[in-house]
């Protein structure tokens, strides 16, 4: 359109569709909604689908039905010679879909149930009124960011979406509305945001022949989706130069005479530009469905998809209008001390011991007696660089009598807006004066007020949540340096323990090798974890001084090996569905072994207290075959680096199957099978009295003792070992009968079994932040008399040197060649790394911060 500038066209389109959006807010205009519904059905929308979404969402429904197309499993009959996107159009649960020119939200609302609760549906529109209408429609359906998001942005500008994050982009009669010079730019942006292998599904109007100057320069025809259309050949060139392949054009045959120039309220036509047809529209343009694919050339770990899709998360919310009150840090400290559950910072209850506590703010003093308080922290560093409009670095929000889960709120001001919109006079929002930095400066040395999960981002369950929270590096390094100190190491050694198990995440190695973070959810967190490796090596050195062996356990692998948050992130696991994550984990473990050996050999004499590495903590594979294949390939890779280091394998609670696997891989020994045993997580365990638990642990003919004895003998013949890598004295209160000493009897029954039938054991855990848990804290259990004060042989530890290590390994290999049973495999789980000729009696250096979290206290 030579007579109009690009900016004037963009502004005109935004104005026209804003007016249309305002018509969608007028509930008295039922004829408009009826006509919009009729028009939507005429371009392919299914009536039952339309009944499931708000009527106002159907305003400006477009010229086709891209969601329907994006869900065709079998479209071969529609396209010749090949089917659209090779039958891969189907939107899947968990996928991320973006709709360009989302209008009132019709295609987003239809896509939402298809991507499911773990997916995301993001609508982008240039019109502020359309975005407001779509957000109201979303609220009507109970849909909120980040699951369903509407963002105001011009498609003529770079999209506010991160690169390589979107599975499917769709658009409905919108590309034709862009100025000619911006069409190719928009398609290049679509290519940028799509993941490798991502799909593009467009419904658009395409010119059948070059349009006349009269049509090209008719402003009304432009706004009604006609004058901006281009030839299919040019459209295809734009797609190809953007990088797309497998491009298909399918003419849908819709009657554009009515769609583009019909009555007010129909599909494309703006309310202000309804027109009687001045020419035969169908003679000049046609409706097409256009599909294309971005080539799958990515080598990144699938875990990287957990990165935020939006470049600016605050785009998903209206602009703020309010400013909450502020509270001094001293008054917050009073509230925390007064809380009956001070350890749970995200769910505090403030109850005055005497009189009434008040927040001293000039805006809204509020009584806090018996009033629920919730807190959440914010940080510009936790999102994207460049600053956040309504969040100051380090802000902490306190919500009083909360109307909603404030951890889902993007900032204090937006929560105050939410309160105001609800006219909730009994609720209030406050911001901590001085921010989190002032809080840490004053209370950083008080462990009851400062610990990693206090300032984690929502949901506050994993290392990633901590790392993306406020002052993560300072908080974590304070924790690492102060949780396990010299007195703790001495205490362990004095009580006969001879080893510790240190759980780590792959990201804790980045200080030694930054590449471990590449393509993962922690890719941008080097600054947070760069100091972790030096703490790990210091722990190994200190353990060596006290005669303690060290087992390094990979508790968190790239992509997560199980669903639990203690495996690194709060996202669903992708380890077993992603070959890239499994390959990356193998590389991480190779890096770990090389780094441990280099550290040991940097000392004179070399450190010899590494008793092994555990490949994965509690893997939860969909099939044993897949995990065992990965075990085999990874063990072989590690044996190329170190032929003597003991390798521990989790048994997935299918001990016989994995014992058979270890037995068949005896040539790769020393291998140790790790079994975790708790009696408090299943309904059956919780309904079983503690005396029955004690009986089945003590009776040699019962299932567990019989299995332990059998597995130990089998693995001993194969040169391997069997350990209980996690156990505790914890059980459900329903199991208690009230008999004095029953918990102590339960602990001692376990000890007796493990000492008799296993090559070693590790108690979970050494200590907890909050004292008094005699079931899960070894320090508390020993202090209360539940756990024996001493275990083992109680004599001075002697660490082997490398020469002794080599001699023992050589002797074991000779024995195996002669068909003899390697005796050392029974004494220390393996022929190497022995501290004493006795089973491992050890603890895991970890602490559950709450009932669902395990965090390595030395390295996380």
């Amino acid at each position: 359109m030579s007579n109009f500038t690009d900016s004037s066209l963009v502004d005109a389109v935004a104005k026209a569709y804003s007016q249309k959006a305002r018509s969608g807010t007028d509930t008295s205009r039922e004829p408009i909604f009826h006509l919009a519904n009729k028009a939507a059905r005429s371009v392919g929308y299914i009536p039952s689908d339309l009944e499931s979404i708000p009527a106002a969402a159907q305003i400006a429904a477009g010229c086709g039905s891209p969601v329907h197309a994006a869900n065709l499993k079998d479209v071969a009959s529609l396209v010749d010679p090949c089917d659209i996107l090779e039958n891969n159009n189907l939107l899947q649960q968990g996928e991320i879909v973006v709709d360009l020119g989302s209008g009132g939200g019709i295609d987003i609302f239809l896509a939402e149930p298809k991507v499911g609760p773990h997916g995301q549906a993001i609508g982008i529109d240039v019109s502020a009124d359309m975005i407001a209408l779509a957000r109201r429609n979303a609220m009507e359906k109970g849909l909120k960011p980040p699951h369903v998001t509407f963002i105001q942005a011009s498609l003529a500008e770079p999209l506010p979406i991160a690169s390589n994050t979107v599975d499917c982009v769709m658009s409905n009669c919108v590309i034709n509305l862009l100025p000619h010079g911006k069409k190719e730019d928009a398609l290049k942006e679509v290519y940028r945001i799509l993941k490798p292998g991502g799909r593009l599904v467009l419904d658009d109007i395409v010119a059948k022949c070059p349009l006349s100057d009269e049509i090209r320069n008719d402003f009304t025809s432009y706004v009604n989706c006609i004058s901006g259309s281009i030839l299919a050949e040019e459209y295809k060139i734009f797609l190809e130069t953007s990088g797309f392949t497998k491009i298909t054009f399918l003419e849908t045959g819709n009657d554009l005479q009515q769609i583009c120039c019909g009555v007010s309220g129909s599909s494309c036509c703006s309310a202000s530009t309804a027109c009687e047809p001045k020419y035969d529209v169908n003679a000049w343009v046609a409706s097409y469905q256009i599909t294309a694919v971005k080539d799958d050339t990515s080598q990144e770990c699938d875990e990287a998809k957990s990165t935020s899709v939006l470049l600016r998360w605050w785009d998903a919310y209206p602009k703020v209008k309010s400013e909450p009150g502020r509270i001094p840090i001293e008054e917050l400290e009073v509230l925390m001390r007064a809380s009956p559950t001070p350890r749970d910072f995200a769910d505090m209850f403030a109850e005055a011991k005497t009189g009434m506590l008040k927040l001293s703010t000039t805006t809204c003093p509020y009584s806090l007696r018996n009033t629920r308080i919730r807190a959440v922290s914010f940080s510009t560093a936790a999102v994207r660089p460049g600053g956040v409009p309504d969040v100051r670095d380090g802000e902490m929000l306190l919500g009083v009598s909360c109307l909603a889960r404030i951890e889902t709120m993007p900032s204090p001001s937006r929560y105050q807006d939410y309160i105001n919109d609800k006219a909730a006079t009994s609720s209030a929002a406050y911001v901590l004066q001085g921010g989190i930095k002032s809080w840490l400066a004053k209370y950083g040395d008080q462990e009851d007020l400062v610990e990693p999960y206090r300032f984690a981002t929502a949901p506050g369950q994993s290392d990633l949540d901590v790392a993306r929270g406020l002052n993560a590096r300072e908080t974590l390094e304070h924790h690492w340096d102060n949780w396990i100190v010299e007195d703790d190491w001495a205490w362990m050694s004095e009580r006969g323990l001879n080893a510790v198990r240190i759980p780590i995440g792959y990201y804790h190695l980045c200080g030694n090798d930054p590449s471990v973070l590449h393509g993962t959810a922690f890719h941008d967190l080097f600054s947070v974890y760069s100091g972790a490796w030096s703490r790990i090596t210091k722990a190994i050195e200190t353990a060596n001084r006290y005669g303690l062996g060290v087992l390094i356990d990979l508790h968190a692998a790239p992509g997560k090996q199980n669903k639990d948050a203690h495996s690194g992130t709060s996202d669903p696991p992708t380890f077993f569905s992603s070959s890239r994550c499994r390959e990356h984990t193998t590389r991480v473990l190779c890096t770990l072994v090389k780094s441990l050996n280099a550290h040991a050999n940097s000392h004179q004499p070399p450190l010899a207290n590494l008793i092994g590495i555990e490949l994965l903590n509690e893997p939860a594979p969909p099939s044993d075959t897949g995990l065992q294949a990965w075990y085999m390939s990874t063990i072989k890779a590690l044996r190329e680096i170190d032929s003597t280091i003991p390798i521990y394998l989790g048994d997935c609670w299918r001990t016989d199957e994995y014992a058979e696997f270890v037995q068949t891989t005896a040539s790769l020994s020393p291998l140790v099978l790790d079994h975790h045993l708790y009696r408090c997580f299943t309904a059956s365990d919780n309904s079983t009295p503690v005396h029955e638990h004690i009986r089945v642990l003590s009776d040699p003919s019962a299932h567990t003792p019989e299995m332990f004895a059998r597995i130990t003998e089998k693995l001993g013949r194969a040169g391997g070992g069997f350990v209980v890598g996690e156990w505790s004295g914890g059980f459900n209160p329903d199991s208690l009968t009230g008999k004095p000493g029953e918990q102590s009897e339960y602990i001692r029954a376990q000890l007796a079994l493990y000492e008799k039938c296993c090559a070693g054991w590790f108690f979970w855990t050494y200590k907890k932040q909050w004292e008094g848990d005699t079931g899960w804290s070894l320090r508390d259990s020993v202090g209360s008399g539940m756990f024996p004060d001493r275990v083992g042989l109680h004599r001075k530890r002697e660490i082997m040197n490398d020469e002794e290590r080599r001699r023992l390994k050589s002797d074991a290999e000779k024995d195996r060649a002669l068909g003899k049973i390697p005796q050392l495999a029974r004494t220390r789980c393996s022929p190497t790394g022995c501290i004493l000729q006795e089973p491992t009696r050890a603890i895991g250096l970890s602490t559950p911060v709450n009932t669902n979290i395990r965090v390595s206290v030395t390295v996380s």
Side-chain angles (χ1 to χ4, degrees), residues 114-131:
K114 302 182 188 303
V115 299
H118 298 297
Q120 290 180 256
I122 302 169
I124 301 176
D125 203 283
V126 68
S127 166
D129 290 290
M130 275 294 184
I131 291 297

Side-chain angles (χ1 to χ4, degrees), residues 303-492:
E303 188 187 18
K305 69 183 180 182
S306 62
T307 303
S308 175
V309 178
L310 303 185
L311 291 178
R312 302 177 299 271
W313 55 259
W314 54 92
D315 285 345
Y317 300 86
K319 292 182 178 180
V320 298
K321 299 171 287 186
S322 310
E323 181 69 21
R326 310 189 82 77
I327 177 176
I329 59 175
E330 294 81 7
E331 293 198 19
L332 176 59
E333 188 263 345
V334 171
L335 298 181
M336 292 183 66
R337 300 287 191 196
S339 169
T341 56
R343 71 195 69 175
D344 192 353
F345 188 76
D347 192 13
M348 295 186 300
F349 287 83
E351 181 176 355
K353 301 302 180 183
T354 57
M356 303 285 282
L357 291 175
K358 292 182 180 293
L359 292 176
S360 59
T361 65
T362 57
T363 54
C364 182
Y366 191 82
S367 169
L368 292 176
R369 183 173 178 82
N370 298 321
T371 298
R372 190 170 188 175
I373 308 292
R374 292 181 72 84
V376 66
S377 302
F378 301 92
S379 171
T380 56
V383 279
R384 295 273 175 175
V388 185
D390 57 312
V391 173
R392 284 172 284 276
D393 195 31
E395 277 193 336
M396 176 179 287
L397 166 66
L398 300 179
V400 180
S401 290
C402 299
L403 296 180
R405 294 180 58 191
I406 66 170
E407 58 266 30
T408 65
M409 293 293 169
S411 74
S413 297
R414 294 185 191 276
Y415 182 56
Q416 187 65 59
D417 282 348
Y418 180 80
I419 292 172
N420 294 345
D421 290 343
K422 296 292 185 180
T425 56
S426 63
S427 300
Y430 297 90
V431 173
L432 183 66
Q433 288 183 2
I436 193 63
K437 291 182 178 179
S438 296
W439 177 266
L440 291 174
K442 185 161 185 176
Y443 302 112
D445 60 345
Q446 301 184 38
E447 196 70 29
D448 61 330
L449 297 178
V450 179
E451 51 91 355
Y453 283 85
R454 291 211 185 280
F455 309 121
T457 58
Q461 293 287 305
S462 70
D463 280 4
L464 184 62
D465 299 335
V466 173
R468 296 204 179 280
L470 294 177
N471 296 86
R473 175 169 183 158
E474 293 84 352
T475 303
L476 284 171
E477 291 187 351
H478 176 273
H479 182 59
W480 298 336
D481 294 337
N482 293 279
W483 182 243
I484 301 294
V485 296
E486 201 79 15
D487 288 347
D488 294 295
W489 295 104
W491 188 95
M492 292 180 241

Side-chain angles (χ1 to χ4, degrees), residues 747-784:
I747 289 173
R748 292 168 192 267
Q750 292 188 83
L751 274 173
L753 173 62
Y754 307 153
E755 290 279 332
K756 179 181 179 181
C757 295
C758 302
W761 51 260
F762 291 83
F763 187 92
W764 189 284
T765 185
Y766 168 59
K767 66 177 180 179
K768 295 179 65 176
Q769 180 179 2
W770 305 100
E771 296 180 358
D773 191 339
T774 56
W776 294 92
S777 165
L778 185 67
R779 287 292 297 249
D780 288 321
S781 189
V782 170
S784 67

Side-chain angles (χ1 to χ4, degrees), residues 228-291:
S229 59
I230 59 175
L231 295 171
E233 293 80 0
E234 186 176 16
Y235 215 134
K236 184 177 181 181
I237 290 173
F238 284 169
L239 288 165
E240 289 174 339
T241 56
S242 298
F244 287 101
T245 61
K246 301 179 183 177
I247 300 166
T248 66
F249 282 74
L250 173 67
E251 186 172 356
T252 58
N254 292 324
D255 183 4
L256 300 185
Q257 193 76 17
Q258 289 299 316
I259 294 173
C260 294
C261 287
V263 294
S264 177
S266 65
S267 279
C268 290
C269 187
S270 160
S272 62
T273 57
C275 55
E276 293 297 326
K278 298 178 181 178
Y279 48 85
D280 184 356
V281 175
N282 293 316
W284 292 93
V285 294
S287 60
Y288 275 78
Q289 185 171 99
I290 305 164
T291 62

Side-chain angles (χ1 to χ4, degrees), residues 666-706:
S667 61
L668 298 173
S669 284
L671 301 177
V672 184
L673 194 62
D674 176 17
H675 179 75
H676 294 181
L677 183 59
Y678 296 110
R679 299 280 179 162
C680 56
F681 290 132
T682 68
S684 175
D685 282 342
N686 294 342
S687 62
T688 301
V690 66
H691 63 79
E692 179 61 17
H693 284 305
I694 295 170
R695 186 195 68 78
V696 298
L697 290 168
S698 306
D699 182 356
S701 64
H703 171 72
T704 300
E706 185 277 331

